Amino acid sequence: MRSVDLGFEHRYLPATDPASPRTLLLLHGTGGGESDLLPLGEAIAPGAARLSPRGKVLERGMPRFFRRIAEGVFDLDDLRFRTHELADFIQAAADVYPLAGRKLIAVGLSNGANIAASLLLLRPEILDGAILLRPMVPLIPDPLPDLSNVPVFIGAGRGDPIVSPAQTAELVELLQRAGAQVSVHWGPGGHGLTIDDVNAARAWLG
Ligand code: MLT
């Protein structure tokens, strides 16, 4: 389904399994777009509805969800602004698409995982859970939100040249301090996804 103007270019695909209990919010990596993660969403949660926005920041023509100053160094003012902008889009989308009554689970890859983590930390009312694939610590809010019992899956790559194991451990600790139920899966890959990530995320979702 092509969509109405909610401030973000996006795609919404309704559930093909009416019994599916969730909608996936698909958040692409740097240089991606709103169609990129649709197959990943179907592989992780077959039959689930999918809402997939395109990041509005351009870095040398490549869409992202927020500005960065360098690799792994984020423009925190822009990150905060873009996180609220995305949260408001999701709330507006709930007036147009049948999101109510289904859990909203983010599936974010790299830059998309970072804005998903930022959504958890700054707008904890938006997501019911998240699958973060190759995330970093986006920011550290003060005070921490209450993420009691929010399930979070982190897919980390043992050979990731961009996200260090220490960075992953710091994110796990931050989310746990906020009360989230965090599961970490260490796969054999680098910063890119492998089938191992897909299988682990699908098994985690159940
Ligand atoms: C990316 O390439 O997108 C980075 O590794 C993550 C980010 O900048 O948010």
Side-chain angles (χ1 to χ4, degrees), residues 2 11 28 32-39 52-53:
R2 266 281 160 199
R11 292 184 66 184
H28 62 78
E34 65 274 29
S35 299
D36 277 24
L37 297 191
L38 295 172
S52 186

Coordinates of all heavy atoms in Angstrom, one line a residue, residues 2 11 28 32-39 52-53:
R2 N 0.7 2.2 -0.9 CA 1.4 3.5 -0.9 C 0.6 4.4 0.0 O -0.6 4.3 0.2 CB 1.4 4.1 -2.3 CG 2.7 3.8 -3.1 CD 3.9 4.7 -2.7 NE 5.1 4.0 -3.1 CZ 6.3 4.3 -2.5 NH1 6.4 5.2 -1.6 NH2 7.3 3.7 -2.9
R11 N 6.2 3.1 3.7 CA 5.3 2.1 3.2 C 4.7 1.4 4.4 O 5.3 1.2 5.4 CB 6.1 1.1 2.3 CG 6.6 1.8 1.0 CD 7.3 0.8 0.1 NE 6.3 -0.2 -0.4 CZ 6.7 -1.2 -1.1 NH1 7.9 -1.4 -1.5 NH2 5.8 -2.1 -1.5
H28 N 15.7 1.4 8.4 CA 16.8 1.0 7.6 C 18.1 1.5 8.1 O 18.2 2.4 8.9 CB 16.5 1.4 6.1 CG 16.4 2.9 5.9 ND1 17.5 3.7 5.9 CD2 15.3 3.7 5.8 CE1 17.1 5.0 5.7 NE2 15.8 5.0 5.7
G32 N 19.9 3.4 3.0 CA 18.7 2.5 2.7 C 17.5 3.4 2.4 O 17.5 4.6 2.1
G33 N 16.4 2.7 2.3 CA 15.1 3.3 2.0 C 13.9 2.5 2.6 O 14.2 1.5 3.3
E34 N 12.7 3.0 2.3 CA 11.5 2.4 3.0 C 11.2 1.0 2.5 O 10.4 0.4 3.1 CB 10.3 3.4 2.8 CG 9.9 3.6 1.4 CD 10.6 4.7 0.6 OE1 11.8 4.9 0.9 OE2 10.0 5.3 -0.3
S35 N 11.8 0.6 1.4 CA 11.5 -0.7 0.9 C 12.5 -1.8 1.3 O 12.3 -3.0 1.2 CB 11.4 -0.7 -0.7 OG 10.4 0.1 -1.1
D36 N 13.7 -1.3 1.8 CA 14.8 -2.2 2.0 C 14.5 -3.4 3.0 O 14.9 -4.5 2.7 CB 15.9 -1.4 2.7 CG 16.8 -0.7 1.7 OD1 16.3 -0.4 0.6 OD2 18.0 -0.5 2.1
L37 N 13.9 -3.1 4.1 CA 13.8 -4.1 5.2 C 12.5 -4.8 5.1 O 12.2 -5.6 6.0 CB 14.0 -3.4 6.5 CG 15.4 -2.8 6.8 CD1 15.5 -2.5 8.3 CD2 16.5 -3.7 6.4
L38 N 11.7 -4.6 4.1 CA 10.4 -5.3 4.0 C 10.6 -6.8 4.0 O 9.9 -7.5 4.7 CB 9.5 -4.8 2.8 CG 9.1 -3.3 2.9 CD1 8.4 -2.9 1.5 CD2 8.1 -3.1 4.0
P39 N 11.5 -7.3 3.2 CA 11.7 -8.8 3.2 C 12.3 -9.3 4.5 O 11.9 -10.4 5.0 CB 12.8 -9.0 2.1 CG 12.7 -7.8 1.2 CD 12.3 -6.6 2.1
S52 N 7.2 1.1 7.4 CA 8.6 1.3 7.1 C 8.8 2.7 6.6 O 8.5 3.0 5.4 CB 9.0 0.3 6.1 OG 10.4 0.4 5.8
P53 N 9.3 3.7 7.4 CA 9.6 5.0 7.0 C 11.0 5.1 6.4 O 11.9 4.3 6.7 CB 9.5 5.8 8.3 CG 9.9 4.9 9.3 CD 9.5 3.5 8.9

